[in-house]
Amino acid sequence: MDANTGHPRRWPILGVLVFSLLAVVLDNTILNVAMKTIADPTVGLGATQSELEWAINSYTLVFAGLLFTFGVIGDRTGRKRMLFIGMLMFGLASLASAYAQDPMQLILARAAMGIGGAAIMPATLAIISNVFPPSERGKAIGVWAGGVGLAVAIGPITGGVLIEHFWWGSVFLVNVPIVIISMILIGTVVPESRDPKPSKLDPIGVVLSIIGLVAIVYGIIRGGELATVASAEVLTPTLIGVAVLAAFVWWERRTDHPAFDVRNFGNVRFSSAIGMMGIVFFAMMGGMFFLTFYMQIVLGFTPVQAGALMIPFAAAQLIFAPLSQRVNQRFGAKLSSVVSMLVVTAALTSYAFLDQSTPIVVIEIIFFVQGAAMANIMPPATTAIMEALPREKAGVGSAMSNTVRQISGALGVAVLGSVLSSSYRGEIAPALSGLGLPADAQHAAGESIMATVGAAHALGQHGQALIQPAFNAFLHGMHTTALVSAVIALLGVLVVLKWMPGKARPVQQVEKKEPAVV
């Protein structure tokens, strides 16, 4: 294969890679629509709010923790082989998720899906870089990113259709035929490639990062369950997690082959761009968590309708993402990022004013505006990351930004989910105590709006008095959570204002004067 012309079948290869990635991206957006059904004790698994948070985060944390390592293993053993193994693992874990009998089985199966996803993602990008010449690589990665955007767009509506016509496990079972077709195509179309000088593995760093993050997330979610941060059940795992992550940072600074090179954060341009990206995904993932319950329970939309309502958010990203680089080039990374972050902050703030009577057109406009703003954040952040690092570290920068996005999203679900849970429990407590339920039943019914509505239906006519207080308590919790996420997004604005580089000034050519002839 000529490095200047690329592989003769490079475009069909790209099509296979985009199709392979479809299942990984589709799964996360489908899951959001399915959460209400999975929480239902009759037609789902009866998962609590904290168990739903873990169903999302078990995948994300494992995916983020193994991304670098599997990238290196693929470089060593063969990227096609790694992609094939990753698809197989993802398909088997999807099958296990579909037929999980309780929330813990689902959480463990989702973690196994994270292992498969971590093997797939870096392999697709590495193969693209290998089969495309430098002149076409940017276009190919743009098509790859467009495929990701398409999966984000069709995920919610696909999930809604599956939930309404089949059982909740179908949102995972749909991955299996995609995986089978992908494996056949990978085996017949994609060429094998390796890095002649692969990096070394860093198993100690990987283990420390996963243990530290899981402990912190456990502490945060437990705090939401207990509605307090003062309990030893909350403080102990959180402090252990912080200590383990401190050891991780120490180790990564010491080793010559880090899994996650924290030394890059000494570069202010790099760390500000990464920080902005992390803050956006923190706020977005946390927001998506409460919007699912708002649309399906408080507003009473079906899963298909709720999925369709998310289309403006995805459509805005598909429309504006291809144009965002021009905006970045014209106005500079700092200005375009500040404006976009302010719009995201305003969108998150507006969620604090939604209620049962909010016109649907208003919600759709907010979704579209937020999607458009987010589409204009990623390119300047990515450009700043790449410009802050040497060219030979471009792959490292991309992998680090992807890892930070995943971790930030997991923390967003954990932190904002816990804020929602704590606020809801405090608001619904008076209504529950008035029913004379036993203390343990009150505690269980007060964890989430799904639990309260379930208790209300179980109590029959007597429990109907709980429905409106549950809606009011949820809206109060959602408003509080939205304002917290808006404040966090505003911190992102301050980070950009302080450290993001502005638009480069054009270099002025100074006219050289000829020396006077004497």
Side-chain angles (χ1 to χ4, degrees), residues 72 76 198-205 248-263 393 396:
V72 174
R76 282 175 169 272
S199 304
K200 294 180 181 178
L201 296 175
D202 178 22
I204 294 175
F248 165 75
V249 171
W250 173 83
W251 172 257
E252 295 300 283
R253 290 178 65 88
R254 181 174 174 270
T255 183
D256 61 354
H257 50 278
F260 188 85
D261 195 348
V262 295
R263 289 167 292 202
K393 287 193 173 182
V396 173

Side-chain angles (χ1 to χ4, degrees), residues 302-426:
T302 65
V304 168
Q305 291 169 334
L309 290 176
M310 297 304 296
I311 289 176
F313 179 84
Q317 296 209 23
L318 285 173
I319 293 167
F320 290 99
L323 308 174
S324 57
Q325 200 62 42
R326 291 188 211 167
V327 175
N328 184 35
Q329 289 169 351
R330 180 168 181 179
F331 298 105
K334 175 173 269 188
L335 181 58
S336 57
S337 297
V338 165
V339 172
S340 298
M341 288 292 289
L342 284 172
V343 173
V344 168
T345 304
L348 293 169
T349 303
S350 68
Y351 293 140
F353 299 95
L354 302 182
D355 57 29
Q356 285 176 266
S357 59
T358 301
I360 196 62
V361 67
V362 172
I363 299 171
E364 295 292 82
I365 290 170
I366 294 171
F367 286 172
F368 186 83
V369 169
Q370 185 179 346
M374 287 194 63
N376 281 290
I377 286 173
M378 300 305 294
T382 304
T383 301
I385 289 166
M386 294 308 167
E387 289 178 351
L389 295 177
R391 185 171 293 178
E392 63 271 15
K393 287 193 173 182
V396 173
S398 176
M400 287 183 76
S401 64
N402 202 1
T403 301
V404 168
R405 284 204 306 267
Q406 297 291 335
I407 292 170
S408 299
L411 290 174
V413 171
V415 172
L416 298 179
S418 293
V419 170
L420 176 65
S421 182
S422 298
S423 179
Y424 180 82
R425 190 181 288 283

Side-chain angles (χ1 to χ4, degrees), residues 70 73-89 119-120 123 127 183 186-187 190-194:
F70 280 175
I73 294 174
D75 289 343
R76 282 175 169 272
T77 62
R79 292 147 182 164
K80 174 180 178 176
R81 179 180 298 174
M82 200 67 194
L83 181 58
F84 196 88
I85 292 170
M87 291 303 299
L88 178 62
M89 182 78 181
I120 294 165
I127 293 168
M183 290 174 68
I186 291 164
V190 177
E192 185 60 282
S193 64
R194 293 176 179 83

Side-chain angles (χ1 to χ4, degrees), residues 134-157:
S135 59
E136 293 180 345
R137 207 166 287 158
K139 184 179 179 182
I141 291 174
V143 172
W144 177 89
V148 172
L150 181 64
V152 170
I154 65 175
I157 191 72

